[in-house]
Amino acid sequence: MLFHANIIPLTGTALIPHGTCYLWKPSLVGLHSVSNGAIALAYAAISLTLIQVFRKRPDLPFNWLLILFASFILFCGISHAIDIWTLWHPDYWFAGGILALTAWFSLGTATATIALFPQVITFPSPQQMAEKNRQLQKVNGELQKERQFLQALLGSLSDGIIACDAEGVLTLFNQATQTWHGLPQKTITAEEWSQYYSLYRTDGKTPLPKEEIPLFRAFQGETVRDEQIAIVTQEGEARIVLANGTPILLPTGEKVGAVVAIRDITEIRKTEAALKESEERWQLVLEGTGDGIFDWNIITGETFISPQFKANLGYRDEEMENTYEGWESRVHPDDLEEVLERIQDNFAGRLPQYTAEYRMRCKDGTYKWILAKGIDRRDEAGNPLRMVGSLQDITRRKYTETALKESLERDRVIAENSSDLIATQTLDGIYLYISPACRSLLGYEPEQMVGRSLFEFLHPEDATALQKTQTLIHQLPERYTHSYRMRRHDGSYTWLETTHKISRYSTDENQQLIVSISRDITARKQAEVAIVTLNQELEQELDDRKSRLKNINRLYRSVLNNVREVIFQTDKTGRWTFLSPAWESITGFGIEESLNKPFIDCVYSEKDQQRIHTLFRDLILEKRPAWRYEFRSPTKHGNFRWLEIYMRLNLDGESKSHFGAYGTINDITERKQAEAILKARADELAKQQRQIELQNLQLQEASRLKSQFLATMSHELRTPMNAIMGFSQMLQTQQYGELTQRQQDMVSRIFNNSQNLLMMLNEVLDFSKLEAGGIEPNPESFDLGKFLHLTVEELRSLADNKQLSLRVNLDLPHPIITSDQNCLRRVLVNLVSNAIKFTNTGGIKVSAKEMDNEQIVISVEDTGIGIDTQDLGTIFQAFRQVDQTLTRQHSGTGLGLAITKSLVEMIDGTIHVESQVGEGSVFRVRLPKSATPP
Ligand code: ADP
């Protein structure tokens, strides 16, 4: 009611509600209410839908009509809603107003619809629409695809694409551009571009003003062509880009935006620079090497050959025509066929690349070797169109190759004929080649060794060492030498000295080889072993000698220190350079104070000094090798010593030059004193000698007188002795009266004693004569054999008396000798008589033997009493008898052997005796076969 009361004042009228007409019948009121409500809702929904269509499809033709329809339907819906309101509220003015509005919109809509009718009926039918729609969708799909493709294209384009719309808002920003700039964060106008993007002039430093930005210029209507600018990317990297821009204009001329394509030419720039550099380098290389290039147009025959290559052949550029013929005419005729064949092989696909070596004629008529390489370009059908390649002057290489071939051949001949073992091995020692010398050095055939490893043949001890070396092979010098033993085929070992050379002709390790030359050094090794042994022996010897030398040195020192002799050295000027310690003890002067002083200072008298000076000078001048001199020398104590100096030249053993003198000094003072005493004694002796000589003369005279007296006396005595003997013999004959037995005995004794006395007198006389030199030998030739027999026979009766045998034994091939027969007879008689006299049993043997052509030995041998050794020396002296007692058994004067000796000596002989007491004696007389005449 409150609601109702409020309405009424608004309307200001008092009408009845519409429900009243329906009598407030609930069903009728309900029917109207619900129907009107449903219609209102439906109309509102349709209106809203139409508005929605209008909004969503601005493209529909006459879509404003939809708004009209929507308004008209909406007002219709409101009218129905008001109808519900007026059931209870009689606001008919309000309802009428709404209705009027609805009418207005309906009329307007109807008018418009009618006006548009002719056009609307031309609208396609739904089928047509569907068909159109389908086509449209198809086109749409294609457009969509194309759009996606374009977007993908734009995305994948390395060029950056930026576009803006008519307002200058950036509408397209492809992937490449995003990588440079990043996505735009907000809508920015063309005016602000220069602030948001890092764009610079090509120097990369000067920021690009807004007016110069290509998109801005295109947006302003300008067409931008190949404009270079620099962009600093989000990563801070400067890129040089080429921008092309254009405004987007509708056919009507309306400007709807602008687009710019940006190409990053940084790499191109770099490549261009590199290419330029490379071209320059290539050009330089071509110029430097003299190599050239060619470009042969196979179709036209035009053949470009680089000028520097022509120059290499001696041609100026224009002198060698740029045609195929220009080239062909200069190829050596002998090579041309093969070159053309190779070109054809390349064209025919048999060779992937054209390569040929041939000679080309130079301007001066000589030929140069060329290495040509080329590749061809073909058309689609595979026909060659063009060939481009290089020309290289390989003349030097060709000559080197020829020389190399010759050298290799020479090497092969040398290797095959060398007595050294020449081999090629891989780095791990496998023989690739081995020279025939392996037969003589190792006993293998070359093919038995090739393919096998050096280590198979090595002595185990050497293999280890060599293996170590091999592991260091890359550090080794190019050439190195080893000695090792290799096993021969017969199992023995040969020492080889091998020089290895690594041929580093390639950096590829597998292609490196070792060339080796081995020489048999077995003999040298054996010699080395011998030398080592010898060396050891020598060292031992050296050690021994050193120790001996040490001992000698020690000895020498002690000798020097202890010897009483001074040992000295002087230089060439005669100054002491060395003095042994004895110097000080002899002279009293210290060695140090004496050294370097002239040695002549130690000589006292001027005469000696002069003499010694001369001697020393002669020594130094090598006129005499050594000298000795005795002189008096003053001592430090003020007295004198007699010294004897002996000096020799001090010669260098090798150079034979001398460096002064050396020698000894002896203190001869005592000797000199002894000599003085001796001299005094000698003088005394000489005096005595003279006296003795005088006495001797006197004695000789006395002896001569004695001999003379004896001779005279015995001579004188012999006469009365002969008378005594003669008369006593006469008495014995009893012619002058009978004699009693006693008288006969007495006369007989007188006779015997007289006979003995006479014999003694004769001997004394002989001796005296010999002593006085009164007998001269009288040599004559006679037969010694006969002589001996005769003489012995004269004495046989004496032997027989004593019943002794008497034999003669001769060994005389040449019995004739020359001697004094009388002397010899007396010698023999004396010796045989003595033998008989001093022999009681046994016998006597007389023998003679010829010793040589010169001498004869006569011996008288008995078996008698013999002679004591102590008497042997005296029996040849006068009056000497072994038994000198008065009771002796054997008579004699003791002169017999003395006379015998004198007689033997007179005939140039000698006499000796050998005897032993009780055994017998042998007297031997040695005589010259031919006595020297007096
Ligand atoms: P004598 O007249 O004494 O024989 P000799 O001069 O002939 O003198 O001999 C000297 C001494 O030599 C003898 O007295 C004797 O002792 C000794 N004598 C000499 N001949 C022999 C001999 N054949 N056998 C032993 N003694 C001998």
Side-chain angles (χ1 to χ4, degrees):
M1 286 312 286
L2 183 65
F3 180 68
H4 183 245
N6 287 340
I7 294 294
I8 289 171
L10 277 172
T11 57
T13 54
L15 297 173
I16 57 166
H18 216 260
T20 311
C21 296
Y22 301 140
L23 301 172
W24 301 107
K25 284 187 176 173
S27 54
L28 191 60
V29 169
L31 178 68
H32 276 264
S33 300
V34 170
S35 299
N36 278 321
I39 290 165
L41 276 173
Y43 281 12
I46 291 166
S47 297
L48 285 172
T49 305
L50 284 173
I51 289 165
Q52 211 50 28
V53 170
F54 171 79
R55 277 189 62 199
K56 295 284 180 187
R57 293 289 306 276
D59 56 316
L60 285 178
F62 316 119
N63 60 355
W64 49 272
L65 205 61
L66 289 174
I67 294 297
L68 273 187
F69 271 101
S71 312
F72 147 68
I73 290 169
L74 186 67
F75 276 101
C76 285
I78 294 169
S79 299
H80 283 282
I82 294 294
D83 279 350
I84 298 167
W85 177 264
T86 55
L87 279 177
W88 285 279
H89 305 285
D91 297 326
Y92 295 116
W93 285 107
F94 174 68
I98 292 295
L99 214 57
L101 267 175
T102 306
W104 190 80
F105 271 103
S106 300
L107 281 174
T109 306
T111 310
T113 308
I114 291 161
L116 286 175
F117 178 74
Q119 287 174 31
V120 169
I121 55 165
T122 59
F123 274 19
S125 68
Q127 286 83 4
Q128 282 175 323
M129 283 290 278
E131 177 58 23
K132 272 268 163 68
N133 214 21
R134 207 179 45 77
Q135 285 176 356
L136 209 64
Q137 273 176 357
K138 193 181 165 199
V139 170
N140 253 353
E142 278 170 10
L143 268 174
Q144 190 64 28
K145 273 187 201 163
E146 200 164 339
R147 196 179 173 79
Q148 280 169 357
F149 169 74
L150 273 171
Q151 265 172 358
L153 194 68
L154 282 174
S156 63
L157 270 182
S158 57
D159 288 1
I161 308 285
I162 306 174
C164 65
D165 62 12
E167 278 73 42
V169 174
L170 297 177
T171 51
L172 181 65
F173 217 73
N174 80 338
Q175 187 63 37
T177 329
Q178 285 171 28
T179 49
W180 290 330
H181 299 306
L183 273 173
Q185 288 158 355
K186 56 175 187 176
T187 309
I188 40 173
T189 59
E191 298 294 323
E192 299 167 315
W193 289 344
S194 61
Q195 295 162 26
Y196 281 89
Y197 301 110
S198 307
L199 303 175
Y200 297 90
R201 286 186 182 153
T202 44
D203 61 4
K205 289 174 193 160
T206 320
L208 205 62
K210 178 185 75 183
E211 303 76 41
E212 288 182 24
I213 294 174
L215 187 60
F216 186 83
R217 282 163 62 191
F219 182 64
Q220 297 300 319
E222 188 186 340
T223 301
V224 181
R225 285 272 160 256
D226 292 340
E227 192 67 37
Q228 284 188 24
I229 61 167
I231 295 179
V232 175
T233 64
Q234 347 179 43
E235 284 85 30
E237 193 187 353
R239 314 289 299 179
I240 301 289
V241 296
L242 201 62
N244 281 289
T246 174
I248 306 171
L249 297 173
L250 290 180
T252 54
E254 186 193 353
K255 188 182 76 180
V256 288
V259 63
V260 167
I262 299 168
R263 168 163 296 185
D264 185 350
I265 57 163
T266 315
E267 296 307 322
I268 295 172
R269 274 299 181 83
K270 279 186 191 167
T271 314
E272 274 173 3
L275 189 67
K276 197 172 166 230
E277 199 180 322
S278 161
E279 266 181 0
E280 278 171 5
R281 201 158 49 227
W282 175 237
Q283 199 62 29
L284 278 175
V285 168
L286 287 181
E287 281 171 15
T289 57
D291 288 355
I293 49 171
F294 71 88
D295 186 349
W296 172 30
N297 188 326
I298 297 161
I299 308 296
T300 62
E302 194 183 345
T303 306
F304 167 80
I305 291 176
S306 57
Q308 71 264 38
F309 188 75
K310 290 180 182 175
N312 185 33
L313 297 180
Y315 299 104
R316 287 200 306 278
D317 191 17
E318 66 277 10
E319 280 178 330
M320 189 168 166
E321 53 281 58
N322 284 333
T323 59
Y324 172 80
E325 288 72 26
W327 165 78
E328 194 198 77
S329 65
R330 286 173 175 85
V331 175
H332 195 291
D334 293 351
D335 301 337
L336 186 61
E337 194 180 339
E338 195 187 328
V339 177
L340 296 179
E341 251 174 48
R342 281 178 169 266
I343 293 173
Q344 285 311 318
D345 282 347
N346 176 238
F347 287 167
R350 288 187 290 273
L351 287 176
Q353 194 195 7
Y354 154 69
T355 309
E357 290 181 5
Y358 56 86
R359 283 162 287 178
M360 270 187 93
R361 194 176 66 251
C362 300
K363 192 181 173 186
D364 62 6
T366 59
Y367 282 90
K368 280 193 172 174
W369 274 100
I370 309 298
L371 168 65
K373 286 182 184 173
I375 41 174
D376 55 10
R377 291 278 170 270
R378 295 163 187 248
D379 62 13
E380 284 171 359
N383 299 316
L385 299 173
R386 181 177 172 198
M387 183 181 272
V388 181
S390 66
L391 297 165
Q392 187 187 354
D393 180 354
I394 53 161
T395 312
R396 187 183 289 271
R397 197 197 81 197
K398 273 285 179 183
Y399 286 138
T400 315
E401 273 176 9
T402 314
L404 190 68
K405 258 187 210 160
E406 284 172 10
S407 152
L408 282 175
E409 178 59 18
R410 201 163 50 232
D411 287 353
R412 193 187 63 76
V413 171
I414 290 170
E416 296 290 313
N417 294 294
S418 171
S419 60
D420 290 345
L421 189 67
I422 295 166
T424 312
Q425 297 155 246
T426 60
L427 289 193
D428 46 7
I430 306 292
Y431 282 117
L432 303 176
Y433 167 79
I434 192 151
S435 71
C438 67
R439 291 191 191 114
S440 58
L441 285 180
L442 299 171
Y444 292 102
E445 288 299 318
E447 49 276 17
Q448 286 179 291
M449 295 188 73
V450 168
R452 291 170 72 184
S453 169
L454 160 73
F455 291 95
E456 282 184 48
F457 300 93
L458 278 183
H459 190 286
E461 284 173 21
D462 302 333
T464 329
L466 194 68
Q467 222 138 22
K468 268 188 201 155
T469 313
Q470 296 290 83
T471 56
L472 303 170
I473 198 134
H474 298 295
Q475 298 162 27
L476 287 175
E478 201 174 317
R479 196 183 289 271
Y480 59 97
T481 300
H482 276 306
S483 298
Y484 45 69
R485 283 159 283 182
M486 278 187 83
R487 197 179 54 256
R488 291 175 55 86
H489 194 248
D490 62 9
S492 63
Y493 283 94
T494 296
W495 269 103
L496 293 180
E497 185 181 71
T498 303
T499 300
H500 302 270
K501 185 175 183 300
I502 304 171
S503 59
R504 301 186 200 275
Y505 64 83
S506 165
T507 47
D508 182 353
E509 197 177 297
N510 297 327
Q511 290 184 355
Q512 290 192 346
L513 295 174
I514 299 175
V515 179
S516 65
I517 300 178
S518 308
R519 179 158 296 179
D520 183 355
I521 54 159
T522 312
R524 197 183 83 194
K525 278 284 172 185
Q526 284 166 353
E528 276 173 10
V529 171
I531 285 170
V532 167
T533 319
L534 200 66
N535 236 7
Q536 284 168 350
E537 285 172 10
L538 279 176
E539 270 171 23
Q540 182 60 42
E541 174 79 17
L542 199 67
D543 286 348
D544 290 354
R545 286 202 178 179
K546 271 185 193 162
S547 76
R548 276 208 298 265
L549 200 66
K550 257 186 203 162
N551 289 339
I552 288 171
N553 257 350
R554 220 173 289 133
L555 186 72
Y556 171 71
R557 285 266 150 228
S558 75
V559 166
L560 271 188
N561 289 335
N562 296 302
V563 80
R564 295 186 55 191
E565 210 170 20
V566 179
I567 294 161
F568 69 83
Q569 280 185 345
T570 72
D571 60 14
K572 286 181 178 181
T573 65
R575 289 174 189 276
W576 298 121
T577 54
F578 174 79
L579 284 164
S580 71
W583 173 256
E584 193 164 356
S585 59
I586 292 174
T587 64
F589 293 110
I591 290 169
E592 290 303 322
E593 66 176 305
S594 304
L595 285 178
N596 287 323
K597 288 186 180 161
F599 84 96
I600 205 90
D601 288 358
C602 74
V603 181
Y604 177 65
S605 79
E606 266 184 38
K607 196 177 125 240
D608 286 342
Q609 280 188 355
Q610 280 173 5
R611 180 74 188 124
I612 287 177
H613 185 267
T614 311
L615 287 169
F616 183 74
R617 195 195 56 208
D618 288 356
L619 187 82
I620 293 300
L621 294 175
E622 298 186 32
K623 286 187 183 168
R624 60 171 81 218
W627 52 267
R628 196 182 289 277
Y629 197 81
E630 292 174 6
F631 60 93
R632 274 201 309 161
S633 178
T635 70
K636 198 171 187 178
H637 313 298
N639 49 17
F640 294 98
R641 303 293 294 177
W642 270 98
L643 300 181
E644 182 198 55
I645 186 164
Y646 171 73
M647 204 181 255
R648 284 192 73 82
L649 208 52
N650 201 352
L651 277 175
D652 184 338
E654 282 174 12
S655 67
K656 298 292 173 206
S657 62
H658 67 80
F659 40 87
Y662 73 97
T664 55
I665 294 172
N666 273 304
D667 183 355
I668 54 163
T669 312
E670 281 164 19
R671 196 192 84 199
K672 276 282 177 187
Q673 286 168 351
E675 273 176 6
I677 294 167
L678 270 177
K679 190 165 177 288
R681 286 193 184 155
D683 291 348
E684 182 67 22
L685 273 173
K687 202 171 149 193
Q688 287 175 358
Q689 185 79 26
R690 280 198 298 278
Q691 282 178 350
I692 287 167
E693 277 171 9
L694 195 64
Q695 284 171 350
N696 256 359
L697 284 173
Q698 290 169 351
L699 278 170
Q700 277 174 7
E701 182 59 18
S703 175
R704 195 187 61 79
L705 289 172
K706 177 204 77 184
S707 296
Q708 198 175 10
F709 162 74
L710 281 173
T712 315
M713 188 197 71
S714 48
H715 185 75
E716 292 305 321
L717 282 172
R718 273 205 307 187
T719 313
M721 278 311 291
N722 281 328
I724 293 168
M725 284 172 70
F727 287 123
S728 44
Q729 271 181 320
M730 284 169 67
L731 281 174
Q732 277 180 328
T733 57
Q734 297 185 32
Q735 288 175 357
Y736 306 101
E738 283 274 321
L739 293 178
T740 64
Q741 189 59 44
R742 189 168 166 81
Q743 288 172 326
Q744 279 181 19
D745 283 349
M746 286 166 78
V747 173
S748 172
R749 276 193 194 175
I750 291 168
F751 178 76
N752 285 338
N753 280 304
S754 303
Q755 200 176 19
N756 281 340
L757 196 61
L758 182 65
M759 197 179 74
M760 283 166 73
L761 281 173
N762 280 338
E763 281 186 351
V764 171
L765 185 64
D766 283 352
F767 181 70
S768 306
K769 276 187 186 166
L770 282 167
E771 279 272 280
I775 301 175
E776 289 292 328
N778 182 23
E780 54 188 333
S781 289
F782 60 95
D783 186 326
L784 182 65
K786 281 182 187 167
F787 165 82
L788 286 174
H789 277 294
L790 282 173
T791 314
V792 168
E793 282 314 311
E794 284 176 23
L795 299 165
R796 184 165 297 281
S797 60
L798 289 173
D800 289 348
N801 287 345
K802 290 184 76 174
Q803 294 174 336
L804 299 172
S805 66
L806 179 59
R807 289 183 289 130
V808 176
N809 187 10
L810 300 177
D811 177 12
L812 295 169
H814 309 95
I816 309 297
I817 67 163
T818 306
S819 195
D820 187 325
Q821 213 173 156
N822 208 23
C823 271
L824 196 55
R825 192 180 153 276
R826 287 170 66 183
V827 167
L828 202 63
V829 169
N830 275 349
L831 292 175
V832 176
S833 307
N834 275 355
I836 295 168
K837 185 158 74 178
F838 294 104
T839 302
N840 299 321
T841 54
I844 293 96
K845 187 171 86 181
V846 175
S847 37
K849 190 173 181 193
E850 196 174 315
M851 297 309 288
D852 49 45
N853 277 340
E854 304 292 318
Q855 298 214 314
I856 281 177
V857 173
I858 301 166
S859 52
V860 178
E861 190 176 348
D862 63 49
T863 54
I865 61 170
I867 306 162
D868 199 340
T869 314
Q870 66 182 18
D871 299 321
L872 284 174
T874 56
I875 55 172
F876 290 102
Q877 292 174 7
F879 307 109
R880 284 289 184 161
Q881 291 170 312
V882 173
D883 184 5
Q884 290 197 313
T885 58
L886 293 172
T887 58
R888 65 172 189 271
Q889 291 178 357
H890 307 287
S891 62
T893 55
L895 281 171
L897 284 177
I899 293 167
T900 304
K901 188 168 183 267
S902 294
L903 290 169
V904 168
E905 284 172 357
M906 202 172 73
I907 56 172
D908 300 330
T910 55
I911 182 163
H912 295 281
V913 61
E914 281 175 29
S915 182
Q916 273 190 333
V917 176
E919 300 263 316
S921 311
V922 188
F923 285 84
R924 285 198 181 84
V925 174
R926 187 178 287 262
L927 286 177
K929 277 180 82 176
S930 183
T932 43

